Amino acid sequence: MTEQKLTPICYVVSDSIGETAELVVKATSSQFNSGNCELRRVPYVSDKETIKEVIEEAVNFNCMVAYTLVDPDLRSFMEKITQEYQVEAVDIMGPMLDSFEKVMQREPRLQPGLVRKLDESYFKRVDSIEFAVKYDDGKDPRGILKADVTLLGVSRTSKTPLSMYLANKRLKVANLPLVPEVKPPKELYQIPSHKVIGLVINPYKLNEIRKERLKTLGLKSQANYANMDRILTELDYAEEIMKKIGCPTIDVSNRAVEETAQKILDMIRGGKDNDFDG
């Protein structure tokens, strides 16, 4: 008769969501032939009573406990009670915290869930960058309704570089070129004026920029794109649209992208720190 082996049970106890401990348990169990392990996650543990309840339940099974607790008091209690009940337990984060404290010679912050918060910040930044690419240069006007801010301006007013810079600050930015021959999309008039920022520029500065752009493309600087009359027409049209919307404007003539971006951030947050400043 073949001996039936019991599937081990592992209680994953954490003061956050318990994802770190679960990954370690899964990676470890995969090193054994069957790799089977029943996981029972107990997240957001913040008191000793919960820990005691888990251990009293765990002692009735063929089990172990893997835990990530940053609070030294809770970790100490977990170590004591698992020894008392003779439950196999592994402190996944404690030894690493102790080692870091010795090397860095300062105490840890002892805040649960910081890794998850960092991950959320990272993914929000990625999401914002993807948004900026998707709704760049008026590709899809529906992005205007979803954006934290929409940038308006004629060609070569740094709309795209600004969008990408602000995306790295976790801002969802759409940008729209203003061309006299193209009527602005209706979405532009469906959002509050404070969520739109107009980029204006000195016509002579724009003339220089456009001439340089034509050179890089191997085209003649006399093209209509860099013609002063054409530039003045575009700027007058852009000013008309911006006044109609009632949006704030920023003169980008002699500003670096970083400087303009900071001014936009200041305008959005009203002088107060928020999630966009990261």
Side-chain angles (χ1 to χ4, degrees):
M1 183 174 179
T2 305
E3 182 183 352
Q4 186 178 3
K5 293 184 179 180
L6 297 175
T7 300
I9 297 171
C10 184
Y11 285 79
V12 173
V13 180
S14 175
D15 46 21
S16 184
I17 61 174
E19 194 172 49
T20 301
E22 182 171 323
L23 287 172
V24 173
V25 171
K26 286 181 176 178
T28 304
S29 65
S30 69
Q31 296 298 315
F32 295 84
N33 290 336
S34 64
N36 293 329
C37 181
E38 181 183 336
L39 290 173
R40 297 183 181 180
R41 196 192 292 193
V42 186
Y44 303 113
V45 173
S46 59
D47 59 87
K48 295 178 181 179
E49 279 303 310
T50 303
I51 293 175
K52 186 176 181 181
E53 288 174 8
V54 171
I55 301 307
E56 287 178 344
E57 180 181 330
V59 76
N60 295 314
F61 301 95
N62 174 35
C63 72
M64 64 175 289
V65 175
Y67 59 97
T68 50
L69 300 167
V70 297
D71 186 325
D73 194 33
L74 292 181
R75 277 165 39 210
S76 178
F77 181 76
M78 175 67 85
E79 183 180 2
K80 179 182 176 181
I81 197 170
T82 51
Q83 288 178 357
E84 180 183 334
Y85 281 82
Q86 297 185 339
V87 172
E88 189 69 34
V90 180
D91 180 0
I92 291 174
M93 186 170 286
M96 188 66 76
L97 278 170
D98 294 340
S99 294
F100 263 78
E101 185 174 352
K102 290 176 184 176
V103 172
M104 302 184 76
Q105 297 185 346
R106 67 170 185 260
E107 294 182 355
R109 292 162 66 180
L110 301 179
Q111 295 178 26
L114 287 180
V115 171
R116 186 165 57 88
K117 290 177 183 176
L118 289 172
D119 286 345
E120 287 174 356
S121 175
Y122 168 78
F123 286 117
K124 187 172 182 181
R125 183 176 286 109
V126 171
D127 191 36
S128 296
I129 292 171
E130 290 176 347
F131 186 95
V133 171
K134 184 175 182 179
Y135 298 111
D136 180 47
D137 208 31
K139 291 175 184 174
D140 186 346
R142 292 174 297 181
I144 294 171
L145 301 176
K146 305 173 185 176
D148 294 315
V149 64
T150 297
L151 304 180
L152 300 180
V154 300
S155 175
R156 311 313 294 176
T157 49
S158 300
K159 296 184 300 300
T160 296
L162 275 170
S163 295
M164 297 306 297
Y165 188 96
L166 292 169
N168 276 285
K169 297 291 184 178
R170 303 188 293 279
L171 258 179
K172 289 186 176 180
V173 185
N175 74 73
L176 184 70
L178 295 176
V179 184
E181 293 79 13
V182 181
K183 186 178 179 180
K186 64 182 186 300
E187 287 84 357
L188 191 58
Y189 302 99
Q190 296 174 359
I191 59 174
S193 59
H194 69 267
K195 295 187 74 174
V196 181
I197 293 178
L199 306 176
V200 298
I201 190 170
N202 179 282
Y204 298 101
K205 181 69 174 179
L206 183 58
N207 178 254
E208 292 176 11
I209 293 171
R210 288 191 174 182
K211 281 182 177 179
E212 286 301 315
R213 175 60 175 164
L214 288 171
K215 284 181 183 178
T216 61
L217 295 174
L219 302 173
K220 295 181 179 179
S221 60
Q222 292 81 15
N224 191 46
Y225 181 67
N227 180 276
M228 184 57 78
D229 289 338
R230 171 63 185 183
I231 287 174
L232 291 172
T233 299
E234 288 186 32
L235 292 176
D236 286 343
Y237 174 73
E239 183 181 2
E240 179 186 335
I241 296 297
M242 292 172 193
K243 283 183 177 179
K244 185 176 180 180
I245 295 170
C247 65
T249 61
I250 298 176
D251 190 337
V252 300
S253 302
N254 297 301
R255 278 195 172 96
V257 168
E258 295 83 359
E259 187 182 356
T260 304
Q262 188 57 54
K263 189 168 182 66
I264 292 171
L265 288 168
D266 290 341
M267 292 168 71
I268 291 172
R269 68 182 181 225
K272 295 181 180 180
D273 290 333
N274 65 19
D275 191 42
F276 300 136
D277 188 15

